[in-house]
Amino acid sequence: MKAIYVATMMAASLALSGQVMADEALAKAKNCLSCHAVDKKLVGPAFKDVAAKYKGDAGALDKLATKVKAGGKGAWGEIPMPPNNVTPEEAKKLTTWILAQK
C-alpha cells in the first residue's frame, strides 16, 4: 500500500514539475522574461511580487490574463506593458504560473 502511495505522489510531482517547466518555457518563448524575472524587478515587476499582490483575489486570473494579452499601464509604475502575441489560453496558462510564484 505504501508503495502505491509513493508511486502516486511521485507521478503527481512529476506532472506538476513538468507543468511548471512548460509554463516557464512558455514565458521564455513569449519573451516575458525579457522584462520580468521570477524573483527580482527588471523593467516590470518580479513575478513573485505580482503573485503576492494578487494573492486571495478571486478575479486575478482573468484580470491578469487580459493584461498579459492586451497590455496595460499604471499598476506597477510609469512604464507600460505592451500587448503580447499570445492566445487567450496561453495568457491564462502564463498567468496561472505567475500567480503560483512564491
Side-chain angles (χ1 to χ4, degrees), residues 9-84:
M9 294 307 291
M10 287 179 65
S13 175
L14 287 173
L16 286 174
S17 68
Q19 182 69 29
V20 168
M21 294 302 283
D23 296 338
E24 183 176 9
L26 181 60
K28 287 179 182 176
K30 297 299 180 174
N31 295 318
C32 302
L33 299 176
S34 296
C35 295
H36 298 275
V38 171
D39 60 352
K40 63 184 175 206
K41 180 184 182 338
L42 295 178
V43 175
F47 290 144
K48 70 175 187 161
D49 293 339
V50 174
K53 179 176 181 173
Y54 291 96
K55 185 177 183 175
D57 182 342
L61 178 64
D62 290 332
K63 182 179 353 182
L64 293 177
T66 298
K67 280 190 175 189
V68 166
K69 178 130 181 73
K73 64 179 182 173
W76 294 91
E78 296 297 316
I79 300 173
M81 182 173 75
N84 292 281

